[in-house]
Amino acid sequence: MSIGEFLFQMTEAIRQTPIVEFSLWVSDWPFALWLQSHFLAIPSFQTLHILAIAVLFGSTLMLNLRVLGVSGKDQTLPQIFNRYQPWIKGGALVLITTGIILLISEPVRNMVNPIFWIKMGALLVTIVVSFWYQAAVRGRMDKWDVTPDGQGSIKAGAVALIVLWMLVMVGGRWIAYAPV
């Protein structure tokens, strides 16, 4: 089965679920109608969404590159962690908020789209790995430059997070081009 056939079959399966009726119901909400009727609303929220992913991914990348020993060697891991943590949290907050607004703006196009659900699955895995990763880094960062204990799993988590965030971003772009 090709990727196109898989996506077609997935779309047909989604169309057999109550998601279609739910998305039609959401499309009639006053806020959804307002978003659809104002020319600059959706592009403005899309711009904020893209800027938020840039801030979130850029901050995550800088922290992970320090963990991997590629950059930021002139600062301690706690300094890097404290520097980028507020940007990661702020970026995530704006990303989630604008993502929900964009979902409301075009609910049928998004909820019946198989790429949307693949992206949401990747996002869920990324969030779970991020919580584990941040707790692991926070627990070991005081001894990071002193002992290599436990660094292998944290470094693997850093690479996994970079790859997962890239998958989420690819999914976000691909939503616009998937046949619905």
Side-chain angles (χ1 to χ4, degrees):
M1 178 184 289
S2 70
I3 293 175
E5 291 170 344
F6 172 74
L7 293 175
F8 177 77
Q9 293 298 325
M10 195 172 168
T11 302
E12 291 303 311
I14 292 169
R15 288 183 180 185
Q16 304 302 316
T17 67
I19 288 174
V20 175
E21 293 172 17
F22 178 75
S23 62
L24 288 170
W25 178 66
V26 172
S27 68
D28 288 334
W29 288 2
F31 184 57
L33 296 173
W34 183 86
L35 288 167
Q36 295 163 13
S37 64
H38 286 77
F39 176 72
L40 293 177
I42 294 175
S44 298
F45 284 111
Q46 285 177 335
T47 301
L48 288 173
H49 195 68
I50 290 168
L51 290 173
I53 191 74
V55 167
L56 176 63
F57 182 69
S59 300
T60 301
L61 186 62
M62 294 308 294
L63 174 61
N64 290 341
L65 291 178
R66 172 59 178 93
V67 166
L68 294 171
V70 176
S71 72
K73 294 178 185 175
D74 58 332
Q75 298 179 33
T76 66
L77 187 57
Q79 287 173 321
I80 295 285
F81 189 83
N82 291 332
R83 178 178 180 186
Y84 290 109
Q85 195 63 18
W87 292 101
I88 292 171
K89 288 180 179 176
L93 180 64
V94 173
L95 187 70
I96 291 168
T97 303
T98 56
I100 291 170
I101 291 170
L102 290 171
L103 176 62
I104 292 170
S105 70
E106 297 178 294
V108 176
R109 177 177 170 249
N110 290 320
M111 290 187 209
V112 181
N113 190 327
I115 302 299
F116 171 79
W117 294 107
I118 292 170
K119 176 192 171 186
M120 289 299 111
L123 181 62
L124 181 64
V125 170
T126 303
I127 289 170
V128 170
V129 171
S130 292
F131 280 122
W132 163 81
Y133 178 76
Q134 289 190 12
V137 169
R138 204 175 300 121
R140 292 184 178 96
M141 68 181 172
D142 289 337
K143 299 177 183 174
W144 188 261
D145 295 321
V146 179
T147 176
D149 292 343
Q151 289 188 2
S153 62
I154 303 238
K155 288 182 177 180
V159 172
L161 272 178
I162 292 169
V163 171
L164 286 168
W165 277 117
M166 289 183 350
L167 286 174
V168 169
M169 289 186 290
V170 168
R173 272 316 307 148
W174 205 14
I175 285 173
Y177 303 105
V180 178

